[in-house]
Amino acid sequence: MNGQRDAEVARPRPGFWFGLVVLIVKPFLVVWTKQDFRGRENMPRTGGVVFAANHISHFDPLVLGFYIWECRRIPRLLGKASVFKLPIVGRILGSAGQIPVYRDSAEAADAFRAAVAAVEQGECVGVYAEGTITRDPDLWPMTGKTGAARIALMTGCPVIPIANWGAHEVIPPYTHSFRLLPRKTVRVLAGEPVDLSAFHGKPITTELLHEATEVIMAAVAAQLGELRGETPPKELYDLRRHRAAEEKNVTGEDGEAR
């Protein structure tokens, strides 16, 4: 079924730089990992779309990019601006159409303007809704930032929840050490579009964006639960709440350092 559908829709021309990335990354992943890619039928083959994914490793952008490529789409991932400043990698990423995110600056909104423009031009834009690699001790998704919801509600495009698992065995979270052998299986599962109909046609307020984001993250967690064969937690890990609690433990209720 997937093969027939893929044959009917030609993959867009990737351009030189993205083609170069594919030429390097795909053979590397094929040789050094085993892939278990599911749910590709849920990724629209044409038209603007946002996919929201969990983040467990510095390795999973390669895995997700390969997965989206196998869905016959060209991924446009939002990534940390610091990576785009690296001499060689940054130039390749920028030239390949990836979108830098400038945090805590006047340029922060530029990434979402670029993402909205890309979706409106029919691109497939990827967002790590957590904003960083998960801090959940069991590697479940954390509460999300509102970028994916904002892009979707501004453009009316579908949001595809995607879960990945196994990349953390290649590069453990918050490290840069490779563990290629024995070969690891990287698993990716895309779900059906998230139902955001309850939010359409309403003013895009902060509260609305947070509510829509909760729905998106619940869908991502559900996909990860299916991949792992486990039940996701009822409440996702809230990084801000945990940091606030840690700070309170350090300073004490009266604000004095302990």
Side-chain angles (χ1 to χ4, degrees):
M1 179 73 177
N2 278 345
Q4 180 179 357
R5 185 177 180 183
D6 289 347
E8 293 173 354
V9 181
R11 182 186 286 117
R13 295 178 64 86
F16 173 79
W17 286 105
F18 195 88
L20 178 63
V21 172
V22 173
L23 190 64
I24 296 171
V25 172
K26 182 174 180 178
F28 175 84
L29 290 174
V30 168
V31 169
W32 291 105
T33 70
K34 293 177 281 186
Q35 302 85 45
D36 177 10
F37 289 170
R38 310 180 215 166
R40 291 193 301 140
E41 68 278 3
N42 291 319
M43 177 62 67
R45 296 300 187 264
T46 59
V49 61
V50 167
F51 65 91
N54 66 314
H55 199 2
I56 56 174
S57 166
H58 291 300
F59 193 67
D60 61 46
L62 300 183
V63 176
L64 289 169
F66 183 22
Y67 177 84
I68 298 300
W69 177 256
E70 292 300 292
C71 290
R72 309 193 71 78
R73 299 298 302 257
I74 297 177
R76 307 300 188 193
L77 285 168
L78 273 69
K80 293 181 180 179
S82 58
V83 178
F84 288 77
K85 295 178 181 179
L86 298 175
I88 298 175
V89 174
R91 180 181 178 185
I92 292 175
L93 289 176
S95 300
Q98 308 311 294
I99 304 171
V101 176
Y102 300 89
R103 296 180 177 178
D104 302 322
S105 75
E107 297 173 290
D110 290 345
F112 296 108
R113 281 195 285 269
V116 167
V119 168
E120 290 176 339
Q121 293 167 11
E123 301 275 10
C124 180
V125 173
V127 177
Y128 282 120
E130 298 158 275
T132 188
I133 294 174
T134 183
R135 293 287 187 176
D136 182 275
D138 296 318
L139 299 184
W140 290 104
M142 301 187 293
T143 56
K145 298 183 182 298
T146 59
R150 184 183 296 274
I151 296 166
L153 294 178
M154 288 179 65
T155 63
C157 75
V159 177
I160 305 299
I162 293 184
N164 82 96
W165 191 245
H168 62 295
E169 296 179 349
V170 180
I171 301 181
Y174 290 98
T175 74
H176 293 86
S177 58
F178 275 85
R179 299 176 181 176
L180 293 173
L181 294 174
R183 289 172 72 206
K184 313 299 190 297
T185 299
V186 290
R187 310 178 191 278
V188 184
L189 171 64
E192 295 182 355
V194 180
D195 183 5
L196 297 178
S197 59
F199 308 103
H200 292 158
K202 297 181 179 180
I204 302 178
T205 62
T206 299
E207 181 179 1
L208 185 83
L209 289 172
H210 282 294
E211 291 177 0
T213 299
E214 288 180 4
V215 174
I216 292 171
M217 293 311 300
V220 174
Q223 299 306 307
L224 184 56
E226 185 172 340
L227 266 186
R228 293 171 56 167
E230 303 174 30
T231 301
K234 293 182 179 179
E235 290 190 15
L236 299 183
Y237 187 95
D238 189 324
L239 183 57
R240 289 185 178 181
R241 184 184 302 169
H242 279 77
R243 283 178 173 172
E246 289 174 357
E247 185 176 343
K248 182 180 289 186
N249 288 335
V250 171
T251 60
E253 292 289 346
D254 54 4
E256 295 293 332
R258 293 184 176 180

